[in-house]
Amino acid sequence: MKTSRKGTSGEVGTGLGLDIVQLYVELHGGEIWVESELDKGTKFFIKIPQNKDS
């Protein structure tokens, strides 16, 4: 079961955002990772390979 809480500006959400991004990235052969530092914040990184046919 997923839980959600209000964001830093009081916004609400479903808690599905990162799950959807992860699915999309992995389906395209990419990677997603997170770096976080206490009291400094969190960074989300996404790497998707370039399509060689373009």
Side-chain angles (χ1 to χ4, degrees):
M1 175 182 224
K2 290 216 174 267
T3 60
S4 185
R5 63 181 185 181
K6 290 189 178 185
T8 55
S9 297
E11 69 276 14
V12 294
T14 61
L16 292 174
L18 283 175
D19 287 334
I20 292 169
V21 170
Q22 180 180 13
L23 177 62
Y24 178 85
V25 169
E26 289 177 353
L27 285 173
H28 288 85
E31 303 172 63
I32 182 170
W33 68 96
V34 178
E35 294 179 5
S36 186
E37 268 190 77
L38 189 60
D39 297 325
K40 289 197 173 185
T42 302
K43 294 180 184 179
F44 293 86
F45 297 88
I46 298 170
K47 183 177 180 181
I48 301 175
Q50 183 176 359
N51 185 347
K52 304 282 186 200
D53 298 332
S54 297

